[in-house]
């Protein structure tokens, strides 16, 4: 967790799940895996198990302890809709987001089919929350664009795309029902190249469709030096926030108690998922 994130399009990260499984070409140089695996085997470290999947119920109530409203990237070190994350746990995460309605939560997945199904069923209560953005990652035509169709078919109130790392020209994209698009290049020693024309194509299509466009970075080996200026300017547009006002000091402790009650079945006994919780 970081309640002050360096990611350009968010304020904080919240990780009630850690670890993931690679799914498509965008995962090849995963920053989260690289970070987590550095600490595999380090006794007592949060990533002692490296990038193996792990539920972190002790983090569930965390956003209710923060003392200011934030944009919150959910599971920057995982994917909430991984197959092995129990539906009941995903629902608990969503109910915490519903409680903490003064934050704007940004949920991003590559498992678009599972997200679509759950937003239409078990997570229907959360699909239309004004303070939750539901998004998919897009890196190319083969794997990324089909995720957009699943997102468009999901009954989400706010939908966004993270087109990062952008690995090729996407060609024509249907942005119907999409509220915001974030584009960026890959960073790190093995970063794959980003052609400016690929970015311009997405920008122009967003402009034509009236979709908020955010350019995150050029990336590369020295991403700070490469910066995030596109054609002489920065692009910082995001969907409009519709989060509730920050609660008063009388209400917030009660909501924190509610969030801790949601987390309790996953914490007792410690480290074991109860039969009731996993149902």
């Amino acid at each position: 967790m970081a309640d002050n994130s360096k990611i350009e399009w968010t304020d904080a990260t919240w990780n009630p799940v850690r670890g993931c499984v690679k799914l498509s070409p965008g995962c090849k140089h995963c920053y989260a895996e690289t970070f987590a695996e550095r600490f595999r085997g380090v006794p007592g470290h949060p990533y002692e198990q490296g990038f193996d999947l792990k539920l972190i119920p002790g983090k569930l109530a965390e956003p209710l302890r923060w003392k200011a409203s934030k944009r919150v990237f959910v599971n920057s070190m995982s994917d909430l809709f991984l197959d092995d994350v129990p539906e009941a746990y995903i629902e608990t995460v969503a109910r915490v987001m519903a409680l903490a309605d003064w934050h704007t939560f940004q949920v991003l997945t590559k498992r678009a089919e599972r997200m679509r199904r759950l937003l239409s069923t078990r997570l229907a209560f959360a699909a239309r929350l004004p303070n939750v953005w539901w998004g998919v990652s897009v890196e190319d035509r083969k794997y990324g664009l089909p995720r957009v169709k699943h997102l468009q078919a999901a009954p989400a109130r706010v939908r966004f795309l993270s087109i990062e790392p952008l690995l090729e020209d996407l060609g024509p994209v249907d942005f119907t029902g999409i509220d915001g698009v974030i584009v960026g290049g890959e960073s790190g020693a093995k970063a794959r190249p980003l052609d400016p024309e690929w970015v311009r194509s997405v920008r122009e299509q967003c402009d034509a469709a009236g979709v908020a466009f955010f350019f995150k970075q050029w990336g590369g080996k020295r991403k700070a030096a490469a910066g995030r200026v596109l054609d002489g300017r920065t692009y910082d547009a995001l969907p409009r926030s519709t989060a509730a006002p920050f609660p008063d000091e009388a209400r917030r402790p009660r909501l924190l108690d509610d969030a801790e009650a949601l987390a309790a079945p996953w914490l007792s006994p410690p480290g074991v998922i109860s039969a009731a919780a996993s149902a």
Side-chain angles (χ1 to χ4, degrees):
M1 184 283 300
D3 59 4
N4 288 288
S5 174
K6 294 182 179 179
I7 299 172
E8 290 82 355
W9 46 268
T10 198
D11 301 319
T13 57
W14 174 44
N15 286 285
V17 182
R18 295 186 190 131
C20 199
V21 178
K22 289 183 176 179
L23 185 67
S24 63
C27 304
K28 185 176 182 180
H29 301 139
C30 176
Y31 74 90
E33 179 188 42
T34 300
F35 174 85
E37 288 298 330
R38 289 171 54 198
F39 302 102
R40 181 179 287 278
V42 178
H45 193 278
Y47 290 95
E48 183 178 355
Q49 287 81 41
F51 209 45
D52 296 348
L53 177 62
K54 186 176 182 181
L55 307 185
I56 314 294
K59 296 288 187 182
L60 282 168
E62 195 166 50
L64 288 96
R65 299 189 179 99
W66 299 339
K67 297 182 179 180
S69 298
K70 298 178 182 291
R71 284 195 303 262
V72 185
F73 179 14
V74 180
N75 284 327
S76 63
M77 298 295 290
S78 184
D79 187 326
L80 183 62
F81 291 95
L82 276 166
D83 290 343
D84 289 337
V85 179
E87 287 188 9
Y89 193 80
I90 298 172
E91 179 183 344
T92 301
V93 172
R95 292 200 178 277
V96 171
M97 295 191 291
L99 281 175
D101 61 0
W102 57 93
H103 295 309
T104 297
F105 292 95
Q106 301 158 304
V107 182
L108 187 60
T109 186
K110 285 185 172 69
R111 279 76 181 176
E113 292 180 66
R114 191 180 192 205
M115 183 175 75
R116 171 187 176 180
R117 177 175 61 81
L118 288 177
L119 287 177
S120 300
T121 53
R122 190 161 188 160
L123 300 185
F125 72 93
R128 304 300 296 177
L129 290 173
N131 68 311
V132 182
W133 302 357
W134 303 97
V136 297
S137 297
V138 177
E139 69 266 49
D140 60 12
R141 294 186 294 271
K142 180 178 179 180
Y143 293 93
L145 292 184
R147 296 182 194 128
V148 179
K149 295 184 182 300
H150 286 295
L151 178 62
Q152 289 166 323
R157 179 162 178 170
V158 183
R159 302 180 185 90
F160 77 107
L161 308 180
S162 174
I163 304 179
E164 182 187 10
L166 178 54
L167 300 178
E168 66 178 359
D169 179 15
L170 295 180
V173 182
D174 177 10
F175 286 119
T176 302
I178 303 301
D179 299 285
V181 171
I182 300 163
V183 177
E186 192 169 46
S187 60
K190 299 179 180 179
R192 289 163 284 186
L194 175 63
D195 189 320
E197 290 304 316
W198 305 345
V199 181
R200 292 186 181 108
S201 174
V202 175
R203 179 192 61 188
E204 290 163 8
Q205 292 184 71
C206 285
D207 185 60
V211 175
F213 176 79
F214 189 106
F215 183 55
K216 179 176 179 284
Q217 64 180 32
W218 288 107
K221 294 181 180 178
R222 294 179 291 277
K223 71 171 188 177
R228 52 187 299 264
V229 174
L230 170 62
D231 294 334
R233 58 162 289 190
T234 56
Y235 289 84
D236 296 312
L238 290 169
R240 185 173 62 87
S241 177
T242 53
F246 192 78
D248 60 36
E249 287 305 312
R251 178 170 174 256
R252 193 160 66 95
R254 294 197 299 269
L255 293 171
L256 176 57
D257 287 344
D258 291 343
E260 290 176 339
L262 287 170
W266 302 95
L267 290 164
S268 180
V272 176
I273 299 175
S274 71
S278 58

